[in-house]
Amino acid sequence: MKLLTANFITCSVKSCQSVTPALSFRDAELAREEIDFSPLFLRNILPRIDWPLLQRTAKELGFPALPETKPELSPIAEGDEEGVGSEEEQKLLKELHSLLLETSVQSGKLVCANCGHEYPISQGIANFLLPNHLV
Amino acid sequence: MASESTTSNPFATVLSTEAQERLSNRKLAPDAKKPDEFIIYFAQWHTTFRLAELQALAEIEGVGKMEILKYSEQSPYAIVKLEHPEKANVLIRRSILAKSIFELWGSGTDYPTIHEDVCKRIQGWWSDDFYKLPFKFEIECFLGKRPGDQHRNLVESFSYISLDGPIRMKNADLQFAVMEEYSFDNSVNPPRAFDSPDLILLGRQIGTGNRSAALKYDLKKRPYIGTTSFDAELTLVTANIALCGPAKLAYDPFAGTGSFLIACSHYGSISFGSDIDGRQVRGKKNRSVVGNYQHYNLKSFFGDVFTADITNSPVRPGLQFLDSIVCDPPYGVREGLKVLGNRDPTKTKEVIYRDGTPRHLQPDYVPPKKPYSFVQMLDDILDFSAEHLVDGGRLVMWMPTANEDLVEFGRPSHPALEEVAVCIQSFNKWSRQLLAYRRRNKDEIDMKAWEERRENKKYVASKDQKESVDELNFFRKKYFEGFKSKEAAEAAEASGDAVEQLEVEKLNLKDA
């Protein structure tokens, strides 16, 4: 499971869904795989990211601290179809690319801070199915 | 092409001096009119999907307003007018169902009228240099045939265009096509095409489609497939209608073996998928969804797959983050239509223990699932999409219908979703429909209607139902009954040959 995916999800139990933020990684075994860098994708995705949640996830997994607040990107210049932006922005986007898309949790658990339910992750695939008593 | 004597050529026409003068003036005026009408040459196949795909591509490629001047499901030739004609060459570059696009140089019901139209249109389009480029002419006939000995005369009847460049059959800069559309004379038996075409078009090819992608992703050559894998050609059309593209996110909540994920990623979307059946998304060692991504060299466009149930989804509530949602929901025929929960509502909602530990924490635990209503499932997909699509995002889903129900049941709707396309693929006794919706912007949504829908859903969910699979899913019931119509079923029963009837129906089903 990529960290991007982890940022979009929460506990499947209905009564936990109003509580934020709910899930933490436990016993996470990490993997990294290089993939093509698309600054435009990151620009599109950044507004959809829950920044405090990403900060927390990064900290839990032992990554260097992220900026306090979600970075504000300047609009891309005309003709910059790839959305490369300034050098400084390029560096930031590359870091985010590496964290969100290249890093994944291969095995471990996602644990809900509210109800304590554990979602197992194995072979990089998380299982969010619930037992009958939690449906 | 030198102008020859026109008297011996039955296709040629005598031009007025005025027309000749206009054509001989090849100075590009500063306010020169550029061609803004185009012929789209479609495959005569999956005809109800063609326009929906083209309209989606018009939006993706930014050609502005597209006016459909001629379109019929019976014809491969459509004519469109574009607000931004300078982008026409890319309009169909992603298309699966359009083969090529041509600038419309002229149209007519016979040769004198098309020649007249060409003379009117092309003046001032291009300067002298353009006419010196290597060129070729092709003749395409739909439903009819032009004997080979007429081709030369037919092509030469356009000699007034005065193409001065060399003829080159391969890689010509200017590729012209004369397209003739015939219709069938049904008054004779067997019906045959009329001798002369109803419509003649002249076009210059400026772009081609991407039909080869359908071959590239052909299921027969894909390492990991399952019984529910979806035909490659139609998954690509689905991804086009869902406006997939670079820097976008796509999601399939019934991913299975990932057929739709691959199609969305082919166009550049980063795709996510989930399925209630973890075995499907996991696959086996080298045969898995990820394995297919590797096979097609699309690894950079793979988001994630996970095991989840759409009625108990882990996606953060209220998060609008998806650009496209594409799916072929389970019909209950090849795969169970199930959601989490116990079939028996009287079963306790307590934690079950085995060997002293909670059963659900043991590694081999598989949670109980219960049959679910197909109609309710469609409603859940709409609710999920309304909640999680970005404004202007698209939901494209497939829905099976017994043909007799096509009118009766109607299509699901949602206050936050605008229906943008309905396409039908017909089989013998049943059809599947592709339904496309656009997520409305906030100020377009009737919030009161949405709120009422939520309340109503809570009420329905509060009633614990215990129903059989057949009661919950009309389509499944009819499928396994062989789509017997009410009358046929009654008649068959009355004459006592119900069994035989069923056998016949089953045979028909096999044909589908």
Side-chain angles (χ1 to χ4, degrees):
Chain A
M1 162 171 273
K2 296 188 176 172
L3 295 203
L4 177 65
T5 319
N7 199 264
F8 293 145
I9 52 145
T10 184
C11 183
S12 302
V13 177
K14 289 268 176 339
S15 56
C16 294
Q17 296 214 329
S18 52
V19 189
T20 50
L23 296 180
S24 301
F25 282 108
R26 189 106 25 101
D27 308 328
E29 189 193 310
L30 295 175
R32 252 202 89 192
E33 188 178 15
E34 214 167 287
I35 67 169
D36 297 346
F37 173 51
S38 160
L40 208 56
F41 177 75
L42 289 154
R43 281 175 188 274
N44 274 356
I45 246 52
L46 195 58
R48 309 175 195 179
I49 294 287
D50 182 326
W51 194 256
L53 177 58
L54 182 64
Q55 278 179 311
R56 221 197 54 188
T57 311
K59 201 176 154 199
E60 271 168 18
L61 298 174
F63 287 97
L66 292 171
E68 271 309 299
T69 53
K70 193 191 279 195
E72 299 263 346
L73 300 177
S74 43
I76 47 175
E78 211 169 302
D80 181 9
E81 276 170 24
E82 309 257 291
V84 179
S86 66
E87 220 166 276
E88 199 183 324
E89 282 185 0
Q90 170 95 334
K91 190 169 162 264
L92 177 84
L93 291 176
K94 271 217 164 115
E95 278 169 15
L96 282 172
H97 168 75
S98 165
L99 188 68
L100 290 169
L101 292 165
E102 296 188 326
T103 311
S104 67
V105 175
Q106 282 304 304
S107 69
K109 288 173 200 153
L110 273 167
V111 185
C112 176
N114 195 47
C115 71
H117 189 71
E118 296 177 353
Y119 299 96
I121 303 168
S122 71
Q123 299 165 47
I125 296 174
N127 183 344
F128 293 100
L129 297 186
L130 295 171
N132 193 37
H133 68 276
L134 291 175
V135 172
Chain B
M1 221 164 26
S3 62
E4 284 170 20
S5 132
T6 52
T7 45
S8 60
N9 185 344
F11 301 104
T13 191
V14 184
L15 295 186
S16 66
T17 1
E18 192 205 359
Q20 276 174 7
E21 247 166 57
R22 267 193 287 141
L23 285 174
S24 63
N25 177 12
R26 288 179 182 175
K27 270 191 208 128
L28 203 58
D31 57 342
K33 204 178 143 250
K34 282 284 171 200
D36 61 356
E37 290 179 16
F38 301 89
I39 305 161
I40 312 279
Y41 179 31
F42 283 112
Q44 196 55 27
W45 169 243
H46 292 318
T47 52
T48 68
F49 295 76
R50 303 185 305 188
L51 215 46
E53 190 195 45
L54 185 68
Q55 272 154 345
L57 294 177
E59 199 168 327
I60 293 165
E61 306 291 4
V63 297
K65 205 171 147 266
M66 179 173 72
E67 210 181 317
I68 312 281
L69 301 179
K70 169 197 178 326
Y71 181 81
S72 155
E73 294 200 347
Q74 276 71 49
S75 165
Y77 308 118
I79 299 176
V80 299
K81 186 173 179 166
L82 302 181
E83 190 187 358
H84 300 304
E86 68 281 3
K87 293 200 168 158
N89 58 330
V90 296
L91 174 60
I92 63 158
R93 63 178 163 182
R94 286 175 46 159
S95 181
I96 301 300
L97 299 174
K99 292 176 178 173
S100 36
I101 180 168
F102 300 84
E103 271 168 10
L104 177 64
W105 279 48
S107 71
T109 48
D110 53 25
Y111 278 86
T113 53
I114 185 177
H115 290 316
E116 198 182 325
D117 193 42
V118 173
C119 291
K120 251 189 257 159
R121 278 175 191 268
I122 66 171
Q123 190 215 347
W125 277 359
W126 312 105
S127 64
D128 224 17
D129 293 342
F130 176 89
Y131 292 94
K132 289 178 185 151
L133 294 167
F135 74 93
K136 77 163 179 181
F137 255 81
E138 272 182 1
I139 298 168
E140 293 266 2
C141 300
F142 178 65
L143 295 184
K145 218 173 175 183
R146 199 44 96 177
D149 58 3
Q150 295 182 7
H151 284 200
R152 193 189 164 95
N153 271 343
L154 199 152
V155 170
E156 282 182 352
S157 75
F158 290 95
S159 61
Y160 55 85
I161 298 172
S162 294
L163 294 162
D164 302 327
I167 296 172
R168 195 174 289 167
M169 293 319 281
K170 261 188 185 167
N171 304 324
D173 295 84
L174 310 177
Q175 302 183 18
F176 292 92
V178 182
M179 293 160 253
E180 291 189 326
E181 188 179 325
Y182 292 75
S183 60
F184 262 70
D185 183 357
N186 287 314
S187 64
V188 292
N189 193 16
R192 62 184 180 89
F194 285 102
D195 290 335
S196 59
D198 293 347
L199 179 73
I200 307 152
L201 301 167
L202 175 69
R204 179 175 77 93
Q205 189 176 314
I206 54 165
T208 52
N210 186 218
R211 282 187 63 74
S212 58
L215 288 175
K216 179 180 173 193
Y217 293 101
D218 189 356
L219 291 182
K220 287 183 201 132
K221 292 179 263 170
R222 190 175 298 180
Y224 177 56
I225 57 168
T227 54
T228 56
S229 293
F230 207 98
D231 164 54
E233 181 173 12
L234 286 174
T235 57
L236 292 161
V237 172
T238 306
N240 269 334
I241 296 175
L243 309 182
C244 288
K248 289 185 177 182
L249 276 187
Y251 175 58
D252 178 357
F254 307 96
T257 56
S259 308
F260 285 103
L261 305 185
I262 289 281
C264 296
S265 293
H266 168 69
Y267 294 116
S269 285
I270 294 201
S271 311
F272 292 82
S274 65
D275 203 290
I276 195 168
D277 185 352
R279 291 169 303 183
Q280 293 251 21
V281 292
R282 270 198 308 274
K284 292 260 163 69
K285 223 172 175 215
N286 293 322
R287 293 174 186 264
S288 64
V289 178
V290 185
N292 282 347
Y293 267 86
Q294 240 147 10
H295 174 76
Y296 293 121
N297 202 12
L298 287 173
K299 239 358 220 328
S300 294
F301 303 99
F302 175 73
D304 243 321
V305 286
F306 49 91
T307 312
D309 168 25
I310 193 167
T311 62
N312 288 279
S313 172
V315 173
R316 262 178 27 222
L319 177 67
Q320 276 187 272
F321 72 117
L322 295 165
D323 298 286
S324 321
I325 295 175
V326 291
C327 61
D328 180 28
Y331 315 157
V333 175
R334 292 195 177 187
E335 66 301 84
L337 204 186
K338 288 184 174 174
V339 297
L340 289 175
N342 203 300
R343 191 185 291 258
D344 182 354
T346 61
K347 274 267 167 81
T348 58
K349 287 257 176 181
E350 279 161 21
V351 181
I352 296 161
Y353 286 85
R354 187 206 267 176
D355 306 330
T357 52
R359 181 73 186 100
H360 69 270
L361 294 182
Q362 295 169 359
D364 62 337
Y365 175 72
V366 178
K369 299 179 186 90
K370 64 180 178 189
Y372 198 55
S373 144
F374 183 64
V375 176
Q376 220 163 312
M377 177 70 90
L378 294 179
D379 265 346
D380 289 344
I381 299 168
L382 262 57
D383 282 324
F384 182 91
S385 304
E387 188 179 352
H388 297 297
L389 281 174
V390 297
D391 291 1
R394 287 228 176 154
L395 161 67
V396 184
M397 68 169 176
W398 287 81
M399 183 177 93
T401 330
N403 283 352
E404 56 182 298
D405 298 338
L406 266 178
V407 188
E408 205 180 316
F409 283 120
R411 301 185 293 269
S413 65
H414 192 288
L417 300 170
E418 178 198 357
E419 187 177 275
V420 288
V422 178
C423 312
I424 301 175
Q425 183 189 19
S426 288
F427 300 107
N428 192 4
K429 300 264 170 153
W430 65 287
S431 319
R432 55 185 179 189
Q433 300 183 71
L434 173 148
L435 306 178
Y437 301 84
R438 175 187 147 269
R439 168 65 156 81
R440 293 176 194 275
N441 300 329
K442 205 175 164 198
D443 50 3
E444 292 172 68
I445 302 173
D446 179 350
M447 288 296 178
K448 205 171 145 238
W450 197 353
E451 190 48 44
E452 275 166 16
R453 186 184 163 95
R454 281 198 198 101
E455 290 302 319
N456 189 35
K457 199 170 179 186
K458 272 185 210 156
Y459 170 73
V460 173
S462 68
K463 294 191 301 177
D464 252 339
Q465 297 141 322
K466 188 181 174 182
E467 285 170 290
S468 77
V469 180
D470 278 352
E471 284 166 67
L472 288 167
N473 188 342
F474 296 113
F475 179 76
R476 181 186 189 279
K477 184 166 187 273
K478 291 198 168 163
Y479 187 97
F480 285 114
E481 284 175 357
F483 298 105
K484 240 191 298 183
S485 72
K486 229 181 244 168
E487 297 78 32
E490 278 161 16
E493 207 145 311
S495 62
D497 56 7
V499 179
E500 198 186 323
Q501 172 73 18
L502 195 63
E503 291 304 317
V504 173
E505 301 282 351
K506 268 185 192 159
L507 278 177
N508 290 342
L509 250 181
K510 270 183 201 157
D511 297 341

